[in-house]
Amino acid sequence: MRAFVWSCGFLFPGLGFASVELPKQALDFFENHCFECHAGDDDFIEGDVNLEMTSVDWSVEGATDFWNQVYEVVHSSEMPPRDAESFPRAQEREDLLDWLGSD
């Protein structure tokens, strides 16, 4: 069975392993509240977290762990940090967390 599932993913890469576009609320959240530290030149990206993207490729190793970590730091209000230039409204934070927490 595992071989069949793997071969379906290999033969039909769009089946369950597709790249998905980030929703507008995620793009806006990242641009408005995260790009100050997590976009641009890789030499200046803080914490090796680059959020300057328009889609997520779930087939890439580590993608799920990366987005789980993003969820955790946004949910705990660890990010954006206290010294950030911009802070999300409660509804913006909730919208992003809803998307990150969806299946």
Side-chain angles (χ1 to χ4, degrees):
M1 180 68 166
R2 223 179 261 177
F4 174 76
V5 172
W6 180 84
S7 65
C8 284
F10 180 73
L11 295 173
F12 307 103
L15 273 175
F17 300 108
S19 178
V20 295
E21 297 295 316
L22 277 98
K24 182 173 178 8
Q25 73 263 26
L27 293 170
D28 290 347
F29 187 98
F30 297 146
E31 183 176 342
N32 294 327
H33 308 295
C34 306
F35 280 7
E36 175 186 349
C37 301
H38 299 291
D41 189 338
D42 284 343
D43 292 336
F44 300 104
I45 300 284
E46 290 189 25
D48 292 326
V49 175
N50 189 343
L51 295 170
E52 194 172 24
M53 61 187 77
T54 59
S55 63
V56 177
D57 185 350
W58 294 108
S59 68
V60 172
E61 185 177 339
T64 301
D65 291 338
F66 175 84
W67 289 105
N68 283 336
Q69 182 64 29
V70 171
Y71 179 93
E72 290 301 320
V73 298
V74 172
H75 182 263
S76 69
S77 297
E78 184 180 336
M79 292 289 154
R82 291 181 180 173
D83 62 348
E85 291 182 13
S86 177
F87 293 96
R89 294 183 321 272
Q91 187 62 52
E92 288 178 290
R93 188 180 298 271
E94 186 176 316
D95 289 345
L96 179 68
L97 293 172
D98 286 347
W99 173 73
L100 288 170
S102 66
D103 292 334

